[in-house]
Amino acid sequence: MASIKGSGRRGIALHAVLVIGLLLSAFPFYWAVIMSTHTSTEIFSYPPKLLPGSHFLENLRHLFDNIDFFGSMFNSLLVAVSVTVLVLFFDSLAAFVFAKFEFPGRRALFGLMMAIFMVPAQLAAIPQFVIMARIGWIGTMTSLIVPAAANAFGIFWMRQYMKSAIHDELLDASRIDGASFLRQYWHVALPVVRPGLAFLGIFTFMGQWNDYAWPLIALTNPDNVTLQVALSQLNGTHGTTDYGMVMTGALLALIPLLIVFAVGAKQIISDLGKGAIR
């Protein structure tokens, strides 16, 4: 009886800690919502206002007057969706080869890829800009999409996932049935690794959506920028920034991320649940 009471108390304490952690994690998002409904003066007032205000529509109107919000959002969506689709295809295809096929130089190529993975992206900015300029892609969305179409992290992640998730017996059976390499990849490998692909898709989309440095360098036309660069243009000199308007833009920019995360997380949970049942 005492052990049951002890376990009950531990369960209550654990739930209390989880609830506190949830509230602390959700507070920044709640505070962003609150700030988007107030003016800058109200945001910096003391005591701080913790309830929604009545200036959201006004901040929204100011946001649309200052930047081409929907045009910039379309640019970000175009880049993020295109890069995510390309990364999922190329990285999973390369990872499938590294994980399940033997070929000369495999270890050397994988080691080279891991060395590239360790190099900070900032070091490649200048050479990448020079290459894009010589090709004639500077100022276009192609300069954002093509260089990011494959990356070392995605290949490493999917390789590690495929090594344990795809059994050699499945591939042997497909070869006996006469399946080509692409059929093995498409019909055997991809259905098994959908949770890994879902995580990589979420990770890639979020990274591209929030990317600021490279779009700022590559998109030389200020009227044709991604959303993060456009939102940075809302910052004025000290004391003149309309923080209510800025937070309204930042809040709207979160909506696609929330949608992608919800869809991807549902896919991960669904496939893991099916795997547990099997």
Side-chain angles (χ1 to χ4, degrees):
M1 190 70 178
S3 62
I4 296 177
K5 290 183 178 179
S7 61
R9 293 193 187 97
R10 285 194 297 271
I12 294 174
L14 177 60
H15 280 79
V17 171
L18 293 175
V19 169
I20 293 172
L22 175 63
L23 294 176
L24 291 176
S25 300
F27 181 77
F29 180 75
Y30 174 77
W31 185 238
V33 174
I34 296 301
M35 285 195 292
S36 68
T37 62
H38 290 287
T39 63
S40 292
T41 303
E42 292 173 337
I43 290 173
F44 289 100
S45 63
Y46 185 83
K49 297 181 181 297
L50 297 178
L51 296 177
S54 58
H55 295 277
F56 179 76
L57 294 179
E58 179 183 347
N59 292 333
L60 198 63
R61 185 174 63 254
H62 290 167
L63 175 68
F64 294 156
D65 289 341
N66 280 271
I67 62 172
D68 182 10
F69 183 85
F70 292 107
S72 302
M73 176 175 278
F74 174 78
N75 292 338
S76 289
L77 283 173
L78 174 64
V79 172
V81 172
S82 300
V83 170
T84 300
V85 171
L86 291 173
V87 163
L88 289 179
F89 174 70
F90 287 120
D91 285 11
S92 62
L93 187 61
F96 182 51
V97 175
F98 276 121
K100 293 299 175 179
F101 292 87
E102 293 286 346
F103 57 91
R106 185 181 72 160
R107 293 182 181 275
L109 284 175
F110 188 75
L112 177 62
M113 186 197 70
M114 293 306 299
I116 295 173
F117 181 34
M118 301 300 174
V119 177
Q122 292 79 1
L123 294 181
I126 295 178
Q128 189 167 291
F129 182 85
V130 172
I131 294 173
M132 295 296 106
R134 291 184 177 179
I135 297 175
W137 287 353
I138 289 298
T140 67
M141 295 300 161
T142 310
S143 64
L144 306 183
I145 296 173
V146 173
N151 59 71
F153 168 77
I155 297 174
F156 172 75
W157 161 254
M158 291 307 303
R159 173 186 177 271
Q160 299 303 108
Y161 197 93
M162 287 180 173
K163 285 186 67 176
S164 58
I166 302 175
H167 299 293
D168 293 333
E169 292 80 4
L170 288 175
L171 297 178
D172 293 338
S174 67
R175 294 189 190 101
I176 293 174
D177 291 338
S180 63
F181 167 76
L182 288 179
R183 285 180 64 87
Q184 294 177 51
Y185 164 74
W186 191 260
H187 294 288
V188 178
L190 290 189
V192 176
V193 298
R194 282 187 299 181
L197 289 173
F199 167 79
L200 181 60
I202 295 173
F203 182 83
T204 303
F205 186 92
M206 292 180 65
Q208 291 300 315
W209 183 264
N210 291 323
D211 191 16
Y212 170 74
W214 178 241
L216 181 65
I217 296 171
L219 299 179
T220 54
N221 185 356
D223 296 326
N224 187 29
V225 296
T226 57
L227 186 56
Q228 303 305 326
V229 178
L231 290 177
S232 71
Q233 296 173 356
L234 296 174
N235 291 327
T237 58
H238 179 70
T240 63
T241 302
D242 187 343
Y243 289 99
M245 176 182 65
V246 172
M247 291 310 304
T248 301
L251 188 65
L252 294 179
L254 283 175
I255 295 176
L257 292 180
L258 295 176
I259 294 174
V260 169
F261 182 80
V263 173
K266 182 178 179 181
Q267 179 68 44
I268 293 173
I269 295 172
S270 171
D271 286 338
L272 290 179
K274 291 178 183 177
I277 293 174
R278 287 197 294 266

